[in-house]
């Protein structure tokens, strides 16, 4: 339970942080809230010789609007997401998800950037970002670029980030006014990662689904975008038979690990159940 020795760095600009990451290469890791990285270090599953703490980068904090996009600094904490009025008005799904992550202690320190960059299939935000069509703003030695959340996750703890790159912001196209949304998460107890979870954002027109997007958490090595399931729902009134078909399509792409949360068969079935519940709640909220 004692991490290996490391040198602590506290840069005061993104350029300095990137410079340190480039200088120390594979021996260095960015540190955000530390609520995923420090436990990994204590278990010696991660042994970075250099920790580059991003806490001094004030530019990476806060929520702003840019046209119809919401731009959230990577170092914004999960607690700050819950408390932000603009976010609650424009993307209420984020508040709903944040409230289901761990407990207040973790949420006061854990950041959105750390949650999406970590690459742990158990993290809740990645599937939500995939559902929302978000992209990540990234800075590295080659400059800035944007990566779509739907292309970011390549395997467990394996992402499209190049060595030396940090996520600086998360950019979310604001869902249409009157959209319905829900995040349904099955967990064994408060503070647990998902056995399976489903995020839904949809719009309804004349009682029928006009648009729909679905993300699934912790039912594969990466978060999943259930594109086929959403297509099945489009144009429907979310009747029981169509929802059942969509749930089956979502289950068909699940490849969960077997762990203390259940067998792959159980977790796959629960993904379908979470989706069915999320669709019902999203429908009830859509105007
Ligand atoms: C008891 C407990 C329960 C938890 N339950 C949940 C849960 O239910 N759902 C959930 O989603 N999470 C859960 N977490 C994890 C928590 O949300 C973490 O805070 C989050 O996963 C990582 O955010 P962080 O800011 O702590 O990042 P850190 O732990 O500091 O970093 C995580 C990883 O991302 C990298 N990183 C961090 N920031 C950046 C960046 N800006 N650019 C590039 N790389 C970066 C780090 O190098 C590291 O590899 C739990 C944690 C604990 C301790």
């Amino acid at each position: 339970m004692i991490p290996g020795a490391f040198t602590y760095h506290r840069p005061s600009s993104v350029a300095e942080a990137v410079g340190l990451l480039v200088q120390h290469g594979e021996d260095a890791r960015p540190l955000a809230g530390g609520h995923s990285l420090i436990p990994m270090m204590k278990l010696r599953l991660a042994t970075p010789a250099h920790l580059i703490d991003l806490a001094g980068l004030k530019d990476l904090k806060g929520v702003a609007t840019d046209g119809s996009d919401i731009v959230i600094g990577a170092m914004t904490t999960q607690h700050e997401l819950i408390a932000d009025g603009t976010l609650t008005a424009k993307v209420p799904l984020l508040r709903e998800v944040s409230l289901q992550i761990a407990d207040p202690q973790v949420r006061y320190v854990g950041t959105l950037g750390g949650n999406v960059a970590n690459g742990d299939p158990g993290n809740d935000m990645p599937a939500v970002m995939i559902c929302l069509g978000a992209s990540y703003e990234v800075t590295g030695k080659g400059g800035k670029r944007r990566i779509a959340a739907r292309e970011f996750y390549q395997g467990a703890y394996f992402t499209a980030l190049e060595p030396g790159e940090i996520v600086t912001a998360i950019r979310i196209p604001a869902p249409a006014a009157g959209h319905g949304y829900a995040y349904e998460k099955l967990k064994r107890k408060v503070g647990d990662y998902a056995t399976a979870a489903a995020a839904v954002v949809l719009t309804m027109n004349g009682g029928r689904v006009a648009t729909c997007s679905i993300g699934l958490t912790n039912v594969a090595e990466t978060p999943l975008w259930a594109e086929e399931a959403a297509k099945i729902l489009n144009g429907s009134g979310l009747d029981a038979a169509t929802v059942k078909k969509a749930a089956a399509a979502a289950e068909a792409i699940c490849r969960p690990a077997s762990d203390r949360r259940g067998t792959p068969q159980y977790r796959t079935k629960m993904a379908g159940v979470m989706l069915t519940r999320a669709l019902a709640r999203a429908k009830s909220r859509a105007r």
Side-chain angles (χ1 to χ4, degrees), residues 55-71:
L57 310 186
K58 301 297 172 219
D59 292 353
L60 303 197
K61 273 265 184 200
V63 179
T65 47
D66 179 16
S68 58
D69 288 354
I70 312 282
V71 183

Side-chain angles (χ1 to χ4, degrees), residues 137-194:
E137 296 185 356
V138 162
T139 301
K141 65 177 174 191
K144 297 181 184 183
R145 65 183 181 125
R146 268 189 212 169
I147 311 170
R150 289 173 191 165
E151 289 161 17
F152 188 78
Y153 300 97
Q154 303 179 342
Y157 297 99
F158 189 58
T159 71
L161 276 183
E162 296 288 346
E165 281 185 325
I166 58 171
V167 176
T168 55
I170 292 86
R171 179 175 283 267
I172 302 168
H179 70 278
Y181 65 91
Y183 191 65
E184 284 286 341
K185 175 175 174 179
L186 177 67
K187 52 189 177 183
R188 297 168 301 176
K189 60 180 179 59
V190 171
D192 194 15
Y193 289 86

Side-chain angles (χ1 to χ4, degrees), residues 29-39 54 60 74-75 78 100-103 106 109-120 122-126 161 165-168 185 187 191-194:
R29 289 280 279 276
L31 174 71
H35 272 52
S36 288
L37 184 54
I38 304 281
L54 307 181
L60 303 197
M75 288 299 286
Q78 293 150 9
Q100 296 182 61
I101 292 179
D103 50 46
V106 172
V109 185
T111 66
L112 178 59
N115 200 292
V116 301
N118 194 27
D120 181 342
N123 281 140
D124 290 291
M125 287 296 182
L161 276 183
E165 281 185 325
I166 58 171
V167 176
T168 55
K185 175 175 174 179
K187 52 189 177 183
D192 194 15
Y193 289 86

